[in-house]
Amino acid sequence: MTERVITGVIKSDDPNKSGKHFVTVPLWQNDLAQMLAQNKVDFVVRSGENWLTNLFFNWVIPVLIFVLIWSWVMRRATAGRSHFSI
């Protein structure tokens, strides 16, 4: 289980058959973990956070956008100044 997805295997009653894999989204039910434990369902809760993705989207892209805008402004400022030189 993560914040965005729940994956699992539905076990078959027949020991010769393998379980069925499933993927679903959580319905944000606060007592889901308690219900799973009461019904003796084995589960693991994992963080859905990926530090590399967070770093890229939260730091790298905004800094690149800032650098691009800053370089564009500086080019415009230096181009305007060169026209008024004596």
Side-chain angles (χ1 to χ4, degrees):
M1 292 186 343
T2 66
E3 293 175 356
R4 296 184 183 153
V5 69
I6 297 174
T7 58
V9 177
I10 299 174
K11 294 181 180 179
S12 174
D13 291 335
D14 185 0
N16 296 328
K17 291 186 180 180
S18 63
K20 220 175 194 181
H21 291 273
F22 71 91
V23 178
T24 187
V25 294
L27 298 175
W28 303 113
Q29 188 172 1
N30 291 335
D31 56 346
L32 177 61
Q34 185 180 20
M35 287 176 20
L36 290 172
Q38 285 175 351
N39 290 302
K40 297 182 178 141
V41 175
D42 294 330
F43 65 96
V44 176
V45 178
R46 295 189 180 111
S47 173
E49 303 270 331
N50 182 346
W51 69 271
L52 187 59
T53 304
N54 286 341
L55 175 73
F56 187 71
F57 285 113
N58 294 335
W59 291 100
V60 175
I61 290 178
V63 168
L64 285 176
I65 291 171
F66 178 75
V67 168
L68 289 173
I69 292 171
W70 183 258
S71 65
W72 179 77
V73 168
M74 294 307 290
R75 267 189 276 136
R76 299 279 294 177
T78 56
R81 191 171 21 157
S82 65
H83 290 246
F84 295 110
S85 298
I86 298 179

